[in-house]
């Protein structure tokens, strides 16, 4: 495999909301290794499976893939995806077809904006879906819970792969009973991107940002000496709170109970309020505001995921050499220094007429070191498949970051992303939490008070009990 920087516009670009992972446009040159011919595996037996339903309830009609005798792959599958994810599968799908004559991999770019409307309608109707779906990791548990017969139970084939994937990503593809309904694709390990020139001008050492208290202190110094604020937050749809909460190993729920009023949650929101109260936050509207504000040099740091690299290198090429990356500050000395923001999965629909070929393709695509490294280098899809992180690509110095091997840092952090509970009620909870966060950030409300109120609202909306 060739090394070096991938072409402008070819990396994973954008996260869409808390825990999201929207793909951006762009494609890279076609100089990657083909899919291996030996990954098809044996024939797969599609059976009804009592007790294998999603959502933890026994459902006799749920379908599963079990091990069977060997057999030749043949026929056609259709896959729905979008942007660079679609481009990656179109590229490697051609290689798969060459390795397996008589197969056809048809990747349809359905666009992101209406993707989930189409997926949800198809799941509910029980018709109209392709063989394989791309679904962001934070959305998959809702589908697993709400449509218990719609996706094929892959446990018989996939369970043995669990140790090879980042456990935070693996959690998104399994239900409460441990059944597997997709394979993780990419992930979003988080770190702190910073402006080298601003830190140098302020006389602040970015390596000294060991805790969020250090970060607050550095922000005050940076603002005083450079006039720059510390970070951009979305003025309407926050994503920072969920990042800070996952860093502490928690989601909206713990053991099925509402946990948004926990000490960890209050600590995260209090930190955000301190940043606002000290005048260190630049509020911008949406993705475009984040990109333009960063390019215009309004802030000194961006705490976000590895995919931000794609936006920097493609849309801010003129700032080459001005950025560096360090781990996230911890809440306590020696604590966790990463989180996750983004990531997607591939699942086989119960409507598939060729689930054997569907599984063969997604397992060859996602459980292969060279293919995953190829998609990182070519399309900017950061692997959830841990063996891929040992690939030489991740060790390379990067001229954009003044020859810092930035991807090596993310590869190291990816192994320690905290695993959090994700449920079918996360979307409901997230909307309520977002309102609470805005009350604190824009109205100066007390973090503990609004979080306790949010917890009560979530409990009512989901019929769940509050955490003790």
């Amino acid at each position: 495999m060739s090394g070096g920087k991938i072409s402008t516009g070819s990396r994973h670009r954008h996260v869409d909301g808390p825990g999201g992972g929207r793909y951006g446009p762009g494609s890279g040159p076609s100089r990657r290794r083909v899919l291996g011919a030996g990954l098809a595996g044996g024939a797969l037996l599609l059976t009804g499976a009592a007790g294998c339903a999603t959502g933890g309830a026994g459902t006799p009609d749920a379908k599963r893939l079990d091990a069977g005798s060997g057999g030749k792959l043949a026929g056609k599958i259709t896959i729905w995806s979008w942007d660079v994810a679609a481009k990656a599968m179109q590229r490697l799908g051609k290689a798969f077809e060459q390795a397996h004559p008589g197969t056809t991999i048809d990747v349809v770019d359905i666009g992101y904006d209406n993707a989930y409307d189409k997926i949800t309608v198809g799941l509910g109707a029980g018709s109209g879906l392709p063989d394989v779906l791309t679904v962001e990791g934070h959305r998959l548990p809702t589908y697993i819970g709400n449509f218990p017969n719609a996706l094929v139970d892959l446990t018989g084939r996939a369970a043995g792969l669990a140790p090879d994937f980042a456990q935070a990503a693996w959690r998104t593809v399994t239900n409460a009973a441990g059944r597997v309904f997709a394979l993780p694709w990419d992930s979003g390990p988080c770190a702190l991107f910073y402006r080298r020139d601003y830190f140098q001008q302020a006389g602040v050492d970015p390596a000294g940002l060991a805790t969020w208290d250090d970060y607050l202190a550095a922000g005050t110094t940076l603002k005083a000496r450079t006039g720059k604020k510390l970070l951009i937050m979305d003025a309407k749809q926050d994503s920072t709170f969920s990042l800070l909460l996952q860093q502490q190993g928690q989601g909206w729920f713990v053991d099925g109970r509402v946990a948004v009023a926990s000490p960890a949650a209050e600590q995260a929101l209090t930190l955000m309020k301190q940043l606002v109260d000290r005048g260190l936050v630049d509020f911008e509207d949406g993705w475009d505001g984040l990109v333009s504000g960063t390019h215009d040099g309004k802030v000194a740091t961006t705490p976000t995921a590895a995919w931000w690299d794609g936006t920097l290198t493609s849309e801010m090429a003129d700032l080459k050499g001005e950025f560096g990356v360090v781990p996230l500050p911890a809440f306590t000395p020696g604590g966790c220094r990463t989180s996750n923001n983004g990531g997607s999965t591939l699942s086989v629909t119960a409507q598939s007429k060729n689930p054997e070929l569907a599984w063969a393709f997604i397992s060859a695509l996602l459980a292969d070191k060279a293919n995953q490294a190829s998609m990182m280098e070519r399309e900017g899809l950061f692997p959830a498949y841990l063996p891929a992180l040992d690939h030489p690509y991740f060790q390379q110095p990067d001229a954009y970051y003044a020859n810092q091997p930035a991807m090596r840092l993310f590869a190291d952090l990816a192994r320690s992303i905290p695993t959090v509970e994700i449920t079918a009620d996360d979307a409901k909870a997230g909307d309520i939490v977002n309102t609470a966060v805005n009350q604190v950030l824009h109205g100066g409300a007390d973090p503990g008070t609004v979080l306790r109120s949010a917890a009560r609202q979530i409990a009512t909306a989901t019929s769940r009990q509050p955490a003790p």
Side-chain angles (χ1 to χ4, degrees):
M1 294 182 68
S2 58
K5 195 73 175 176
I6 63 177
S7 65
T8 298
S10 63
R11 296 197 182 182
H12 198 179
R13 173 176 178 256
H14 179 21
V15 58
D16 189 69
R22 178 178 178 176
Y23 297 110
S27 62
S30 55
R31 63 178 200 273
R32 288 277 57 91
R33 175 186 181 275
V34 299
L35 283 158
L39 292 175
L44 303 177
L45 178 64
L46 188 62
T47 64
C52 297
T54 58
T59 307
D61 294 332
K63 296 179 178 179
R64 71 183 182 194
L65 287 176
D66 289 333
S69 59
K72 182 180 179 181
L73 295 172
K76 175 182 177 180
I77 59 169
T78 300
I79 303 169
W80 281 1
S81 195
W82 51 83
D83 297 328
V84 295
K87 289 179 170 62
M89 287 191 286
Q90 288 164 353
R91 175 173 64 86
L92 292 174
K94 291 181 175 65
F96 185 91
E97 292 170 351
Q98 293 173 358
H100 303 282
T103 64
T104 300
I105 309 299
D106 180 22
V107 181
V108 180
D109 188 337
I110 61 172
Y112 183 84
D113 290 341
N114 298 314
Y116 288 108
D117 289 339
K118 296 179 68 172
I119 291 171
T120 303
V121 169
L123 291 171
S127 63
L129 290 181
D131 300 271
V132 175
L133 291 174
T134 304
V135 179
E136 290 162 299
H138 75 290
R139 292 180 182 264
L140 186 64
T142 298
Y143 284 145
I144 291 174
N146 292 340
F147 302 100
N149 303 318
L151 302 177
V152 175
D153 183 341
L154 304 174
T155 309
R157 281 287 171 170
L161 296 173
D164 292 332
F165 285 90
Q167 290 308 291
W170 192 258
R171 182 70 176 265
T172 68
V173 304
T174 59
N175 70 355
R179 309 303 296 183
V180 184
F181 292 91
L183 283 184
W185 186 344
D186 58 317
S187 65
C190 294
L192 188 71
F193 293 83
Y194 69 93
R195 285 289 296 262
R196 294 179 182 274
D197 48 348
Y198 295 165
F199 272 75
Q200 183 176 3
Q201 182 181 344
V204 176
D205 181 5
L209 303 180
T211 68
W212 289 111
D213 286 339
D214 297 331
Y215 183 71
L216 283 164
T220 300
T221 301
L222 281 157
K223 184 180 179 183
R225 296 178 181 176
T226 69
K228 305 297 182 180
K229 295 187 177 182
L230 199 49
L231 77 163
I232 291 171
M233 289 186 189
D234 194 304
K236 298 176 183 177
Q237 186 66 45
D238 170 71
S239 61
T240 303
F241 181 62
S242 59
L243 182 155
L244 295 173
L245 193 55
Q246 177 156 4
Q247 184 184 3
Q248 299 176 79
Q250 190 194 305
W252 306 143
F253 302 96
V254 173
D255 296 330
R257 294 173 176 264
V258 182
V260 299
S262 68
E266 187 168 348
Q267 183 169 235
L269 192 50
T270 297
L271 169 62
M272 294 171 66
K273 187 175 187 300
Q274 289 174 323
L275 288 165
V276 172
D277 290 346
R278 297 188 188 190
L280 303 178
V281 174
D282 175 48
F283 286 104
E284 300 286 348
D285 289 332
W287 173 257
D288 291 339
L290 172 62
V291 173
S292 62
T294 303
H295 185 260
D296 292 345
K298 292 183 177 181
V299 296
T301 72
T302 304
T304 193
W307 44 254
W308 182 238
D309 161 76
T311 299
L312 294 179
T313 56
S314 64
E315 300 188 36
M316 305 180 211
D318 55 315
L319 296 177
K320 177 180 177 180
E322 300 292 0
F323 288 93
V325 189
V326 294
L328 290 181
F331 277 93
T332 58
C336 177
R337 300 197 63 181
T338 191
S339 185
N340 187 79
N341 196 348
S344 55
T345 70
L346 290 177
S347 60
V348 180
T349 71
Q351 299 172 32
S352 174
K353 298 297 191 294
N354 199 342
E356 182 178 332
L357 178 58
W359 164 255
F361 179 67
I362 68 172
S363 60
L365 188 78
L366 304 184
D368 180 86
K369 177 177 179 177
N371 291 327
Q372 283 275 24
S374 162
M375 291 186 286
M376 175 64 207
E377 185 173 359
R378 291 286 308 285
E379 286 87 23
L381 300 167
F382 195 95
Y385 186 64
L386 297 178
L389 302 180
D390 296 326
H391 191 275
Y393 172 78
F394 292 93
Q395 309 303 316
Q396 299 171 5
D398 195 324
Y400 189 85
Y401 300 98
N403 290 323
Q404 177 188 2
M407 289 302 111
R408 183 173 68 190
L409 172 65
F410 285 106
D412 292 341
L413 292 173
R415 302 178 191 277
S416 58
I417 296 172
T419 301
V420 301
E421 186 171 334
I422 303 176
T423 77
D425 289 324
D426 271 34
K428 290 180 182 178
D431 289 341
I432 294 171
V433 169
N434 187 68
T435 299
V437 170
N438 285 337
Q439 290 173 347
V440 172
L441 301 186
H442 303 300
D446 174 67
T449 300
V450 299
L451 288 173
R452 287 188 291 273
S453 175
R456 291 191 294 269
Q457 294 175 57
I458 294 169
T460 299
T462 62
S463 300
R464 293 176 180 264
Q465 297 296 314

